[in-house]
């Protein structure tokens, strides 16, 4: 402040007494308390001298850079030259040692001796130590070492090139050897006739090559340190003299300091006044002139002559201390702080600061409003879009804006958005009201579910067409809004609705709908500042609504795909009474599936499976696995073999997916496969990482039969095992996926206990009723996974519908079997198929007698079709073919295929069964 006062006095000299500002003695700073702790005085004085902001400091930096540059250049040149000399010395020494040792007496004789290593190793080691090299190695012409400092390397092949040495040349090379990176010389050893009979290799490792630079670097560094010391001393001397002359500041620094002070003084939003000890105004910044309405020539005049308010003039002229004292100044209230300037030996006078408390209150109100808007936007980002449901997201937008921003909020969406589709172009699409929220609970306008088409004159249509929010501060003057629906709008105005902001819901360039904010209970209308807040709320909600719309579309596509891949109806069969339920997850379609597959011999296969994950990929993988199960079932494979083939298929699918560009590989799948035989009442089951089935006996007891555990599909490496169960007629077999018994909030053991209790209470009900009861008891409110449920009640074929015969391996027995079959068909009232059945059985039995050994068994089953089965101990399956004209055989299976509706082969543990089915035209 003393310096600013001096400048103001100098500028106003013509109107003042012409006094000069007092300056403090140059020695006064040295009398200030020491703030640097215990640092020596010479260090405190030297530090500002060497500052780069002073001229001396800049000269010092230049000298340091020159000295360092010279030192670095000299060191680099010295290192490079020294390394080159050292490397050449290493090559020369290696060649000399190798040539000397190769020509030494006894080396040639040692190479011809029975044990070259014993003969040459001692002398090679002695030569190495005397010559000061790291190794001397003798090797054969094949490059096999006879000697080496490291004994484990003897007998190994030399490293490097030996071809030129074998031709009589000396080779010098740098290689990576057993001792590290080294320079070596390879010299041939000749016999008396000049033939090369061996090699001598001598070398030095690179790390042991000593360089003269190691001795010269200390001298170089010492010289550099001395030069820096001299430069520092000279700079300190020059800087000390400059500091005494300029008080530590150069002309540029002093000018810049005054310019900065002046710029800050006139830029602050606070008035500053400096009054001299004689009551004259020495300085006033721009803000003080504005607040006090000072005349242009105010500086240099007495403050009492400036036309100020009496209290203001008295305070400034008196120079008394004041802290936030409020004084009037026209229509303003100023907060004044006043302090004297003559403290610590300063010039007499005072300095005052002024703040406009009226503007501060307005600014505080605007800041509070801005904070409230930011808080509302933050809450909106948290509360809007908590789910992927379009309507619920719109409701969240309406709730977050009431009552903090509006008293009534309506949200309208284009019809296509509700179904997940992207809206088509158009400025007046049909909209449906999906959300309404009011602070009072009343809504005088359209109700939820109403279909609306806004007229072009309405502000809603204008906002939707322009893509920008529209403000209507007074709805009584808005003819377009009132013309939209006169009965509703008149009632709304009568109820107190008075202001509107309507904003389009625009996301990713697509108009999804609009949101309407109404003021109702609060008297103040919307203002221009509220438009940006409304647009920001609408923009954030629009992105969430568009995300929900896209999810709705993807979910609908996935559900459609999944339902197209699941069975639409169950096949007709007599073995089981089956009911099922399938419920997709709310979060996304999964890969659960089920199937009921009729098999030969009146048997039925039950399948339940689950692909890990959700979405289109999981549904598509489920379809592939279901198709594969159908194909494998057509081969009539036992459950364990079928799961083995399915495991290989999943592994191949996984491998193909991972090798492609996508990252949608199958991460796991489970499956339970069961085959029920109504003739025997037996059920064969196998599982691959799937939950155990539930079994309800006819007496109502519920159990979870222990099946051999199998790994999930796709892991491979482990075989699958089967379990055999006997199911009395009327038993209930319940198959399900883990989504039924396990949720995020319920452990699987608790789910299994609930399932057991529910099945025990519904043991006497039908499968359909059991499905309904199970879902009522176990279905979570928000399923996070798909649920597949399959309930099958067993039936058995009566004994009078099955007939079997043992057939000896004798062609004469075929006639007796045909007669017995004809008699049984007559007993069943199936005389019309007797001829065809005799023909089929004759061909099958004759084929078994001719090509198989051991006992032959014939069985007839009367179900929805007539099933003929011939079992033998052979594992060879007949094949359908065309017989040539001259062939004596090969027509039997062809005839069977022509007369039977279906035929095939089923392998058993004892052989195979060839079966054929014929439709029944009579009563079944």
């Amino acid at each position: 402040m003393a310096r600013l006062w001096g400048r103001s006095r100098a500028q106003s000299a013509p109107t003042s007494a012409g006094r000069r500002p007092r300056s403090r003695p140059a020695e006064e700073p040295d009398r200030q308390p020491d703030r640097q702790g215990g640092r020596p005085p010479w260090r405190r004085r030297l530090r500002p001298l060497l500052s780069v902001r002073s001229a001396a400091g800049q000269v010092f930096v230049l000298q340091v850079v020159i000295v360092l540059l010279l030192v670095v250049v000299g060191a680099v040149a010295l290192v490079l030259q020294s390394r080159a000399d050292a490397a050449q010395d290493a090559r020369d020494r290696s060649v000399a040692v190798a040539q000397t040792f190769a020509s030494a007496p006894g080396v040639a004789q040692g190479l011809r001796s029975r044990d070259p290593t014993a003969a040459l190793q001692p002398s090679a080691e002695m030569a190495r130590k005397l010559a000061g090299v790291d190794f001397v190695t003798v090797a054969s012409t094949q490059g096999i070492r006879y000697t080496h400092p490291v004994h484990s390397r003897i007998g190994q092949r030399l490293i490097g090139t030996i071809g030129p040495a074998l031709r009589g040349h000396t080779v010098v090379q740098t290689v990576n050897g057993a001792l590290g990176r080294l320079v070596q010389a390879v010299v041939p050893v000749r016999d008396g006739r000049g033939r090369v009979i061996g090699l001598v290799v001598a070398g030095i490792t690179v790390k042991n090559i000593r360089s003269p630079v190691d001795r010269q670097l200390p001298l170089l560094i010492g010289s550099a340190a001395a030069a820096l010391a001299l430069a520092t001393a000279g700079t300190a001397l020059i800087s000390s003299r400059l500091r005494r002359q300029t008080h530590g500041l150069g002309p540029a620094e002093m000018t810049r300091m005054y310019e900065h002070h002046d710029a800050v003084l006139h830029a602050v939003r606070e008035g500053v006044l400096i009054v001299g000890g004689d009551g004259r105004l020495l300085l006033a910044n721009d803000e003080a002139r504005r607040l006090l309405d000072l005349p242009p020539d105010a500086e240099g005049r007495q403050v009492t002559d400036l036309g100020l308010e009496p209290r203001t003039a008295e305070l400034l002229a008196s120079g008394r201390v004041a802290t936030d004292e409020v004084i009037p100044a026209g229509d303003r209230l100023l907060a004044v702080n006043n302090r004297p300037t003559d403290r610590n030996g300063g010039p007499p006078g005072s300095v005052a600061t002024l703040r406009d408390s009226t503007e501060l209150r307005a600014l505080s109100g605007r800041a509070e409003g801005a904070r409230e808007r930011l808080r509302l936007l933050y809450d909106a980002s948290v509360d809007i879009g908590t789910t992927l449901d379009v309507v619920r997201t719109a409701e969240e937008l309406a709730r977050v804006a009431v009552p903090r921003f509006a008293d009534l909020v309506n949200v309208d969406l284009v019809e296509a958005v509700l179904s997940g589709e992207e809206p088509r172009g158009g400025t007046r699409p049909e909209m449906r009201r999906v959300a309404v929220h009011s602070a009072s609970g009343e809504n005088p306008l359209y109700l939820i579910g109403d279909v609306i088409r806004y007229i072009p004159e309405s502000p809603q249509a204008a906002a939707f067409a322009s893509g920008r929010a529209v403000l209507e501060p007074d709805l009584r003057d808005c003819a377009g809004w009132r013309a939209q629906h006169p009965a509703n709008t008149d009632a709304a105005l009568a109820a107190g609705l008075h202001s509107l902001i309507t904003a389009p819901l625009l996301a990713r360039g697509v108009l999804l709908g609009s949101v309407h904010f109404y003021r109702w209970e609060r008297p103040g209308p919307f203002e221009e500042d509220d438009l940006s807040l409304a647009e920001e709320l609408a923009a954030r909600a629009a992105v969430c609504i568009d995300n929900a719309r896209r999810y709705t579309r993807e979910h609908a596509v996935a559900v459609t795909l999944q339902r197209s891949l699941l069975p639409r109806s169950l096949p007709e069969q007599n073995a089981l009474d089956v009911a099922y339920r399938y419920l997709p997850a709310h979060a996304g379609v999964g890969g659960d599936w089920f199937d009921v597959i009729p098999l030969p011999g009146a048997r039925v296969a039950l399948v339940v499976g689950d692909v890990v994950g959700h979405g289109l990929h999981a549904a598509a993988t489920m379809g592939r696995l279901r198709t594969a199960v159908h194909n494998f079932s057509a081969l009539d494979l036992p459950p364990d073999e079928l799961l083995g083939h399915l495991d290989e298929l999943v592994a191949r699918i996984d491998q193909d997916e991972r090798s492609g560009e996508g990252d949608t590989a199958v991460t796991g799948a489970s499956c339970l496969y069961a085959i029920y035989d109504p003739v025997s009442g037996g059920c064969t089951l196998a599982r691959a990482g799937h939950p155990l089935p539930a079994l309800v006996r006819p007496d109502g007891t519920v159990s979870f039969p222990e099946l051999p555990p199998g790994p999930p599909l796709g892991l491979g490496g482990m075989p699958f095992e089967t379990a055999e169960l006997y199911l009395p007629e009327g038993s209930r077999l319940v198959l399900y996926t883990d989504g039924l018994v396990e949720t995020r909030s319920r452990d699987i053991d608790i789910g299994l206990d609930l399932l057991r209790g529910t099945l025990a209470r519904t043991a006497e009900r039908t499968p359909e009723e059991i499905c309904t009861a199970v879902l009522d008891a176990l279905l979570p409110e928000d399923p996070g996974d798909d649920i597949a449920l399959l309930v099958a009640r067993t039936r058995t074929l009566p004994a009078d519908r099955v007939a079997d015969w043992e057939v000896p391996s004798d062609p004469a027995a075929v006639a007796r079997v045909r007669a017995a079959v004809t008699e049984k068909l007559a007993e069943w009232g199936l005389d019309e198929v007797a001829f065809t059945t005799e023909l089929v059985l004759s061909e099958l039995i004759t084929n078994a007698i001719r090509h198989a050994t051991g006992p032959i068994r014939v069985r007839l089953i009367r179900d929805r079709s007539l099933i003929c089965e011939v079992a033998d101990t052979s594992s060879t399956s007949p094949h359908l073919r065309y017989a040539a004209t001259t062939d004596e055989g090969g027509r039997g299976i062809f005839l069977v295929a022509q007369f039977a509706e279906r035929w095939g082969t089923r392998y058993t543990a004892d052989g195979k069964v060839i079966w054929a089915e014929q439709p029944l035209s009579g009563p079944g």
Side-chain angles (χ1 to χ4, degrees):
M1 276 306 172
R3 288 172 180 166
L4 289 174
W5 176 86
R7 184 182 180 195
S8 299
R9 294 286 294 175
Q11 291 176 348
S12 58
T15 60
S16 64
R19 293 185 304 170
R20 286 190 174 183
R22 292 186 303 169
S23 60
R24 301 177 65 180
E27 293 78 16
E28 186 172 347
D30 294 336
R31 295 197 297 269
Q32 295 297 325
D34 183 12
R35 304 187 184 203
Q36 303 298 328
R39 292 183 179 178
W42 66 269
R43 290 189 59 185
R44 295 196 301 271
R45 289 193 297 268
L46 183 61
R47 186 173 181 179
L49 297 180
L50 300 181
S51 173
V52 296
R53 289 177 294 178
S54 64
Q58 294 172 2
V59 172
F60 173 69
V61 170
L62 179 60
Q63 290 176 344
V64 169
V65 171
I66 294 174
V67 170
L68 290 179
L69 182 60
L70 292 175
V71 170
V72 169
V73 172
V76 171
L78 182 61
V79 168
L80 294 178
Q81 182 62 37
S82 179
R83 286 186 177 178
D85 294 342
Q88 185 61 40
D89 179 66
R91 294 188 185 95
D92 295 342
R93 199 189 319 173
S94 299
V95 172
V97 172
Q99 288 178 344
T100 303
F101 191 82
S103 304
V107 174
Q109 290 79 2
L111 285 171
R112 293 196 185 94
S113 65
R114 297 179 116 186
D115 190 354
T117 299
L120 298 175
Q121 177 70 9
S123 57
E125 283 299 293
M126 182 180 298
R128 177 181 68 82
K129 296 175 180 178
L130 293 175
V133 295
D134 290 321
F135 64 93
V136 175
T137 301
V138 181
S140 67
T141 54
Q142 288 77 29
I144 306 299
R145 296 188 183 101
Y146 291 146
T147 68
H148 197 273
V150 180
H151 292 279
S152 60
R153 299 292 180 176
I154 296 175
Q156 296 184 5
R157 185 174 294 278
L158 287 175
I159 298 175
T161 303
I162 64 174
L166 295 177
R167 294 192 294 271
H169 302 289
T170 298
V171 180
V172 181
Q173 52 191 287
T174 302
V175 298
N176 291 318
L179 302 177
R181 187 162 183 82
L182 49 87
V183 177
Q184 68 179 17
V186 185
V187 177
V189 179
R190 303 176 184 270
D191 61 4
R193 291 181 290 179
R195 293 179 303 176
V196 177
I197 60 173
L199 302 173
V200 174
V201 183
I204 303 174
T205 57
V206 173
K207 65 180 181 180
N208 291 333
I209 299 176
R210 294 189 55 86
S211 174
V213 73
D214 298 338
R215 298 184 298 272
Q216 298 173 1
L217 275 179
L219 178 60
L220 184 64
I221 295 174
S223 301
L228 289 176
L230 291 175
T232 304
T235 303
L237 179 61
I238 296 174
S239 179
S240 176
R241 296 187 63 182
L242 289 175
R243 186 167 182 245
R244 285 196 300 268
Q245 295 174 3
T246 63
H247 299 285
L249 292 176
E253 286 83 355
M254 297 177 66
T255 303
R256 185 164 57 251
M257 181 189 68
Y258 282 116
E259 289 176 349
H260 289 175
H261 285 184
D262 188 67
V264 172
L265 185 67
H266 294 283
V268 294
R269 295 285 294 172
E270 186 170 298
V272 178
L273 297 173
I274 298 179
V275 180
D278 57 353
R280 294 178 182 273
L281 179 65
L282 302 180
L283 184 143
N285 70 346
D286 295 342
E287 184 67 8
R289 291 177 180 275
R290 185 183 71 84
L291 294 176
L292 298 177
D293 195 18
L294 296 176
D297 59 346
E299 291 185 356
R301 297 170 58 183
Q302 292 287 333
V303 294
T304 54
D305 299 337
L306 297 178
L308 303 177
E309 294 284 344
R311 285 185 57 189
T312 307
E314 183 274 331
L315 175 61
L316 296 177
S318 66
R320 62 181 174 86
V321 176
T323 302
D324 290 334
E325 183 174 333
V326 178
I327 59 177
D331 57 350
R332 294 186 176 93
L333 291 176
L334 303 181
V336 181
N337 290 275
N338 198 35
R339 295 290 185 274
T341 60
D342 57 357
R343 294 180 180 180
N344 300 323
S350 62
V351 57
T353 60
L354 315 173
R355 294 195 311 274
D356 188 352
S357 60
T358 308
E359 294 184 358
L360 287 176
R361 288 196 193 96
L363 289 174
S364 177
R366 287 198 292 271
E368 182 61 29
R371 282 195 296 271
E372 183 61 30
R373 288 184 174 90
L374 290 176
R375 195 177 299 114
L376 176 59
L377 290 176
Y378 173 78
D379 293 341
S381 64
V382 174
D383 297 337
I384 299 176
T386 59
T387 66
L388 289 173
D389 183 84
V390 173
V391 174
R392 186 168 178 179
T393 304
E395 293 171 350
E396 292 170 346
L397 168 61
R399 283 196 299 267
V400 80
V402 175
R404 299 162 64 180
F405 180 63
D407 300 316
L408 172 65
V409 176
N410 297 330
V411 182
D412 304 330
L413 295 179
V414 180
E415 283 281 1
V417 175
L418 298 175
S419 59
E421 299 299 326
E422 184 171 310
R424 297 180 180 177
T427 58
R428 294 183 57 213
E430 281 192 353
M431 295 191 188
R432 185 176 296 275
R433 179 143 297 175
V434 296
V436 173
H437 194 66
S438 171
S440 62
E442 300 179 7
N443 175 31
L445 301 174
Y446 293 102
L447 302 178
I448 293 178
D450 290 350
V451 178
I452 309 168
R453 185 186 290 273
Y454 289 105
I455 61 176
E457 297 80 8
S458 65
Q460 294 93 335
F464 192 85
S466 65
R468 301 297 301 273
V470 173
L471 167 64
E472 290 294 341
D474 191 349
L475 291 175
R476 290 172 299 180
D477 300 333
C478 184
W481 178 79
R482 302 186 65 174
Q484 174 65 37
H485 197 295
N488 284 0
T489 55
D490 291 343
L493 290 174
L497 222 63
H498 61 85
S499 185
L500 163 69
I501 289 181
T502 177
L505 295 172
L506 178 64
R508 303 179 179 97
V510 178
L511 286 168
L512 308 172
S514 56
V515 56
H516 318 298
F517 303 97
Y518 289 95
R519 288 279 173 87
W520 187 349
E521 297 180 351
R522 65 183 75 186
F526 287 114
E527 300 175 351
E528 290 292 334
D529 292 343
D530 296 321
L531 277 175
S532 60
L533 178 59
E535 288 182 338
E536 184 65 24
L537 286 173
R540 297 191 181 199
V543 172
C544 297
I545 291 174
D546 191 53
N547 291 339
R549 176 192 68 81
R550 292 170 178 239
Y551 171 78
T552 301
R553 180 185 61 193
E554 297 296 334
H555 184 71
V557 172
V559 168
T560 302
L561 172 63
Q562 188 180 46
R563 293 193 179 279
S564 68
L565 297 175
L566 290 171
R568 300 185 180 181
S569 61
L570 297 180
E572 296 183 354
Q573 42 81 32
N574 293 334
L576 298 169
D577 182 12
V578 181
Y580 68 92
R581 295 288 188 276
Y582 174 76
L583 297 175
H586 290 176
V589 173
D592 293 13
W593 91 93
F594 65 90
D595 232 324
V596 179
I597 306 173
L599 298 177
R603 297 167 304 136
V604 176
L606 300 177
V607 190
V608 171
D610 182 7
V611 175
V612 175
H614 294 86
L616 289 174
H617 180 68
T621 303
M622 175 271 292
R624 298 170 72 175
L625 296 184
R626 178 171 177 257
T627 302
V629 170
H630 270 270
N631 293 335
F632 293 145
S633 298
L635 301 177
D636 212 346
L637 299 175
D640 55 341
E641 292 186 21
L642 185 141
L643 291 181
H645 288 295
L646 205 60
D647 180 63
E648 294 178 2
L649 174 63
V650 173
R652 286 199 303 271
I653 293 176
D654 188 34
Q655 184 178 4
D656 293 342
E657 294 287 353
R658 292 183 186 278
S659 62
E661 296 181 358
D663 55 352
T664 54
V666 181
T667 56
S670 64
C671 183
L672 175 63
Y673 188 82
I675 297 178
Y676 174 68
D677 188 353
V679 177
S680 64
C683 184
T684 306
L685 305 95
R687 66 185 180 121
H690 202 80
L692 293 170
L695 177 61
V696 185
R697 299 284 180 177
D699 58 0
T701 60
V702 181
S703 64
F704 294 91
E706 285 295 334
L707 304 182
L713 299 175
L715 297 184
M718 296 291 291
F720 298 96
E721 301 180 52
T722 60
E724 298 283 346
L725 300 177
Y726 174 70
L727 305 182
E729 185 171 9
S731 300
R732 275 78 168 176
L733 187 63
V734 181
L735 310 182
Y736 53 89
T737 55
D738 58 356
L740 178 68
V741 295
E742 184 178 18
T743 64
R744 294 187 181 94
S745 59
R746 183 177 65 201
D747 190 72
I748 188 171
D749 293 332
I750 299 176
L752 292 175
D753 290 339
L754 289 174
L755 179 60
R756 185 195 303 270
T758 304
L759 294 177
R761 293 191 299 270
T762 59
E764 300 300 325
R765 300 185 186 179
T766 64
E768 282 288 342
E769 295 172 339
I770 292 175
C771 286
T772 302
V774 167
L775 291 183
D776 291 342
L778 278 80
L779 183 65
E781 294 183 1
D782 186 14
D785 195 4
D786 292 11
I787 295 176
L789 176 64
L790 198 62
V791 179
R793 180 172 59 189
T794 60
R795 301 172 183 161
T796 57
L797 282 178
D800 59 356
R801 287 179 173 256
V802 181
D804 55 357
W805 298 271
E806 291 283 349
V807 181
S809 185
D810 182 4
V814 177
R816 295 194 297 272
V817 175
R818 283 202 305 266
V821 168
T822 302
E823 182 180 353
K824 177 57 71 173
L825 292 177
E827 178 183 337
W828 287 344
L830 301 177
D831 295 317
E832 67 276 7
V833 297
F835 174 77
T836 305
T837 305
E838 288 183 17
L839 177 62
V840 170
L841 281 176
S842 296
E843 294 297 337
L844 295 180
I845 296 172
T846 302
N847 190 72
I849 294 174
R850 175 177 298 180
H851 299 288
T853 59
I856 300 172
R857 190 172 186 84
V858 176
R859 184 169 73 166
L860 286 183
I861 302 174
R862 181 187 176 190
D863 192 39
R864 291 180 176 272
S865 60
L866 181 62
I867 305 170
C868 305
E869 296 182 347
V870 176
D872 57 50
T873 58
S874 173
S875 60
T876 304
S877 175
H879 298 281
L880 182 65
R881 67 185 181 88
Y882 286 101
T885 306
T886 57
D887 289 346
E888 296 182 1
R891 297 177 177 84
I893 297 301
F894 181 80
L895 292 176
V896 171
Q898 295 300 312
F899 286 101
E901 186 177 45
R902 294 194 307 157
W903 74 278
T905 303
R906 179 172 74 253
Y907 291 97
T908 64
D910 301 327
K912 68 175 184 297
V913 175
I914 303 177
W915 54 269
E917 291 185 7
Q918 302 175 70
L920 296 178
S921 56

